[in-house]
């Protein structure tokens, strides 16, 4: 553009110069003859201007071409964008169409659901009306039956009524059998759970076992001043570095009450609760505190044990026998009444095996409570499903397994657990009972039965 402007500026100047040369002033000398050709300088100037004009036009054309190419590229981009937008618009339209179809279907289903709901409401109303009618009919039949019984009390029952009663009794008996089966399975599950906990405790306690470094103590003993039964003379020793009872655990340095594994002689490993008190460790064989465990169990469960060692439990007659057959043991019974008064009594005793129905003989040593169990008598253990001869009615009447003599006593520490003053006397007789020498019947809140060797210092 600059070259074109320069050319347009030079051309008038050249033409003006030529006019001045062709028309001299009036006062000048007469003109010379005109030349047919333009002057060389003018031609050069004009040519130079045309050349610059050509270059300028060339640059302008190149720039214009580049701008046109840019415009075409932008138009292509716009076309592509417009095409993409048209595709997206088509997709949106298709989705919108699908949504409309779905909405239509949902509306149809909604109408169907409404219709079904109305039908159900109608049916429910009909059922309620039928229920009211049936209730009225049942009341009418009850009234008729009551009147019939009052007016004809001596008429014999109809055979159909008798057969119906028989059928109901049979069904009731079947239900009771099923309940007993379920209870038995539940007890087995509890026993398996207890065995699992015993195994876990064995694994936890396995790290505390140490080898025996000292032989049996040889220090002199003072003569015994309390009566005892010398029926088991086997020393209370350990096998395979496993303690045989809680006393052996205490002598190893474990002076804390808790659950520990033991292995009596010729027996398997099992866990017990050791109750440490007054410089001795007692093996707890029975514990009742709140009635959370049902003690009206079967002979099998009383033989092998039930409950939880950290709560209410019965260790098991077979386990108790495996411990006490090793030496002479003391049986300690602790009672606590509902006034939080504590009592205890200790016996020397002998326990037989399962062939004798775990026959028990007792001799009292000491205590601050009147004698609970009869002395110097054979007490035989019985349960509701395993009745020893001569003691048939005791487990049924007093609930729970226990040692009985020829007369059912009022002292059953495995009986039904009752709250104080909650039941009449016939029901309280089935609870945790203790009858004093004056004949008064007490209900016990908590009980413990514990055993330990008579001369615990002799066994290390």
């Amino acid at each position: 553009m600059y070259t074109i402007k320069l050319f347009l500026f030079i051309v008038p100047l050249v033409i003006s110069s030529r006019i001045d040369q062709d028309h001299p002033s009036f006062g000048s000398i007469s003109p010379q003859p005109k030349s047919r050709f333009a002057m060389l300088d003018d031609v050069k100037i004009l040519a130079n201007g045309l050349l610059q004009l050509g270059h300028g036009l060339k640059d302008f054309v190149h720039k214009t071409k580049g701008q046109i190419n840019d415009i075409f590229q932008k138009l292509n981009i716009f076309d592509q964008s417009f095409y993409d937008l048209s595709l997206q618009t088509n997709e949106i339209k298709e989705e919108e169409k699908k949504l409309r179809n779905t909405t239509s279907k949902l509306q149809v289903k909604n109408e169907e659901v409404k219709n079904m709901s109305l039908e159900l409401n109608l049916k429910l109303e009909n059922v309620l009306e039928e229920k009211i009618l049936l209730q009225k009919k049942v009341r009418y039949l009850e009234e008729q039956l009551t009147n019939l019984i009052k007016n004809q009390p001596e008429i014999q029952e109809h055979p159909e009524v008798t057969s119906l009663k028989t059928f109901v009794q049979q069904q009731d008996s079947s239900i009771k059998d099923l309940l007993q089966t379920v209870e038995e399975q539940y007890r087995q599950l509890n026993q398996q759970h207890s065995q699992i906990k015993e195994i876990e405790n064995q694994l936890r306690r396995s790290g505390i076992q140490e080898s025996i470094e000292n032989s049996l103590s040889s220090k002199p003993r003072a003569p015994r001043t309390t009566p005892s039964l010398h029926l088991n003379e086997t020393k209370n020793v350990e096998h395979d570095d496993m303690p045989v009872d809680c006393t052996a655990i205490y002598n190893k340095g474990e002076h804390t009450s808790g659950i520990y594994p033991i292995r009596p002689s010729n027996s398997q490993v099992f866990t017990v609760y050791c109750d440490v008190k007054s410089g001795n460790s007692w093996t707890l064989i029975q514990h009742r505190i709140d009635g959370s465990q049902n003690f009206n169990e079967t002979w099998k469960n009383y033989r092998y044990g039930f409950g939880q060692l950290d709560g209410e439990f019965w260790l098991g007659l077979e386990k108790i026998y495996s411990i006490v057959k090793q030496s002479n043991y003391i049986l300690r019974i602790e009672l606590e009444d509902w006034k939080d008064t504590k009592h205890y009594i200790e016996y020397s005793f002998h326990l037989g095996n399962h062939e004798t129905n775990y026959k028990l003989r007792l001799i009292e040593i000491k205590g601050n409570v009147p004698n609970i169990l009869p002395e110097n008598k054979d007490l035989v253990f019985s349960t509701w499903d395993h009745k020893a001869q001569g003691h048939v009615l005791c487990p049924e009447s007093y609930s729970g397994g226990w040692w009985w003599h020829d007369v059912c006593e009022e002292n059953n520490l495995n009986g039904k657990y009752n709250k104080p003053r909650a039941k009449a006397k016939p029901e309280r007789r089935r609870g945790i009972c203790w009858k004093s020498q004056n004949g008064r019947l007490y209900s016990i809140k908590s009980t413990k039965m514990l055993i330990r060797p008579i001369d615990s210092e002799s066994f290390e």
Side-chain angles (χ1 to χ4, degrees):
M1 294 297 294
Y2 174 77
T3 306
I4 295 172
K5 291 179 181 179
L6 180 62
F7 176 74
L8 294 176
F9 177 74
I10 293 174
V11 170
L13 291 178
V14 174
I15 297 172
S16 175
S17 174
R18 290 294 300 162
I19 293 172
D20 289 338
Q21 290 178 2
D22 293 336
H23 303 283
S25 61
F26 296 102
S28 62
I29 302 172
S30 58
Q32 295 179 359
K34 296 181 181 179
S35 176
R36 296 177 58 186
F37 303 98
M39 294 182 66
L40 181 59
D41 294 334
D42 296 335
V43 173
K44 290 181 177 179
I45 290 172
L46 184 59
N48 190 23
L50 291 173
L51 182 61
Q52 291 181 359
L53 178 60
H55 286 296
L57 289 173
K58 184 178 179 181
D59 293 336
F60 177 74
V61 169
H62 282 296
K63 290 181 180 180
T64 304
K65 185 177 180 180
Q67 291 176 356
I68 292 172
N69 290 332
D70 292 338
I71 291 171
F72 275 115
Q73 290 179 358
K74 291 179 180 179
L75 287 174
N76 289 332
I77 294 171
F78 176 78
D79 291 339
Q80 185 64 35
S81 300
F82 184 78
Y83 179 73
D84 293 338
L85 286 173
S86 63
L87 292 178
Q88 292 178 1
T89 303
N90 292 332
E91 291 177 356
I92 291 172
K93 287 181 179 180
E94 291 178 358
E95 291 179 356
E96 182 182 2
K97 186 177 180 180
K98 291 179 181 179
L99 287 174
R100 287 179 179 176
N101 294 331
T102 305
T103 303
S104 300
K105 293 179 181 179
L106 289 175
Q107 288 177 351
V108 172
K109 289 183 179 180
N110 188 23
E111 292 296 330
E112 293 177 356
V113 170
K114 285 183 179 179
N115 294 331
M116 292 176 64
S117 177
L118 293 174
E119 292 177 359
L120 288 175
N121 288 331
L122 292 174
K123 290 181 179 179
L124 181 61
E125 291 176 356
N126 294 331
V127 169
L128 291 175
E129 292 177 356
E130 292 177 359
K131 179 183 177 182
I132 293 171
L133 292 175
L134 287 174
Q135 288 177 346
K136 290 180 180 179
K137 290 181 180 180
V138 169
R139 292 194 193 99
Y140 175 76
L141 290 174
E142 288 177 349
E143 292 175 357
Q144 294 293 326
L145 182 61
T146 303
N147 294 330
L148 182 63
I149 293 173
K150 289 180 179 179
N151 296 329
Q152 299 175 349
E154 297 180 357
I155 297 178
Q156 295 182 353
E157 293 182 349
H158 195 275
E160 293 182 357
V161 176
T162 304
S163 62
L164 182 61
K165 284 185 177 181
T166 304
F167 176 74
V168 171
Q169 291 176 354
Q170 291 176 354
Q171 291 294 321
D172 185 54
S173 177
S174 299
I175 292 171
K176 288 182 179 179
D177 293 338
L178 288 174
L179 288 175
Q180 290 180 357
T181 303
V182 171
E183 289 179 357
E184 181 66 24
Q185 292 178 353
Y186 180 73
R187 294 188 191 102
Q188 292 177 1
L189 289 174
N190 283 337
Q191 186 175 358
Q192 292 176 359
H193 179 69
S194 177
Q195 291 175 356
I196 291 172
K197 288 195 70 174
E198 289 180 3
I199 294 172
E200 290 177 351
N201 291 326
Q202 291 173 16
L203 293 175
R204 285 199 299 267
R205 297 294 181 182
S206 60
I208 66 173
Q209 300 175 11
E210 299 175 356
S211 61
I212 300 175
E213 296 179 356
N214 299 322
S215 60
L216 295 174
S217 174
S218 60
K219 59 185 179 181
R221 303 185 185 92
R224 293 191 181 102
T225 58
T226 57
S228 61
L229 296 174
H230 299 279
L231 299 176
N232 296 320
E233 297 297 336
T234 305
K235 292 296 183 180
N236 184 8
V237 296
E238 300 175 13
H239 303 271
D240 300 330
D241 296 333
M242 178 68 74
V244 295
D245 60 8
C246 290
T247 299
I249 294 174
Y250 184 86
N251 292 337
K252 281 191 170 187
E254 290 290 340
H255 297 167
T256 304
S257 298
I259 299 174
Y260 298 89
I262 64 171
R263 183 182 180 185
S265 60
N266 300 322
S267 176
Q268 299 295 325
V269 177
F270 57 89
T271 54
V272 295
Y273 189 92
C274 297
D275 192 353
V276 178
K277 58 182 69 182
S278 302
N280 291 303
S281 182
W282 296 75
T283 303
L284 194 59
I285 64 173
Q286 187 254 35
H287 192 199
R288 304 192 71 180
I289 50 178
D290 56 9
S292 59
Q293 173 66 45
N294 180 19
F295 270 66
N296 193 24
E297 290 285 355
T298 62
W299 170 262
K300 181 179 179 181
N301 286 342
Y302 266 103
R303 184 177 179 184
Y304 297 106
F306 56 86
Q308 302 297 327
L309 290 176
D310 54 355
E312 291 196 337
F313 72 94
W314 173 261
L315 183 61
L317 293 165
E318 201 62 35
K319 295 176 183 177
I320 298 171
Y321 175 73
S322 68
I323 297 173
V324 302
K325 72 179 181 180
Q326 302 175 115
S327 180
N328 295 315
Y329 274 75
I330 296 174
L331 170 64
R332 178 183 175 94
I333 298 176
E334 297 181 356
L335 308 176
E336 182 178 358
D337 60 23
W338 293 95
K339 296 180 181 180
D340 296 331
T341 303
K342 296 182 179 180
H343 310 274
Y344 82 96
I345 188 169
E346 294 182 0
Y347 298 92
S348 61
F349 72 100
H350 174 261
L351 182 68
N353 58 18
H354 71 281
E355 295 178 354
T356 66
N357 290 319
Y358 301 98
K359 185 181 297 183
L360 179 68
R361 288 185 67 87
L362 299 169
I363 295 179
E364 182 182 355
I365 299 177
K366 60 180 179 179
N368 61 1
V369 63
N371 197 355
I372 295 177
L373 298 173
E375 296 183 69
N376 297 316
K377 294 182 179 180
D378 292 335
L379 307 179
V380 180
F381 202 92
S382 298
T383 61
W384 62 268
D385 64 336
H386 183 87
K387 302 175 179 64
Q389 186 176 3
H391 311 277
V392 176
L393 298 178
C394 290
E396 292 180 351
S397 302
Y398 288 83
S399 174
W402 193 242
W403 286 281
W404 310 100
H405 190 49
D406 53 354
V407 178
C408 296
E409 300 291 341
E410 298 283 359
N411 301 316
N412 177 13
L413 302 185
N414 286 340
K416 181 180 178 182
Y417 193 96
N418 290 311
K419 301 295 183 182
R421 297 185 299 277
K423 304 291 182 181
K425 182 178 178 181
E427 183 66 19
R428 288 182 61 192
R429 180 176 293 134
R430 299 183 65 201
I432 304 179
C433 298
W434 163 58
K435 190 173 183 180
S436 63
Q437 290 181 345
N438 59 13
R440 186 176 179 182
L441 187 65
Y442 294 91
S443 182
I444 304 301
K445 180 172 70 172
S446 65
T447 66
K448 283 184 178 180
M449 297 179 66
L450 313 97
I451 57 174
R452 71 169 176 85
I454 290 179
D455 192 357
S456 59
E457 295 181 356
S458 302
F459 310 105
E460 298 181 355

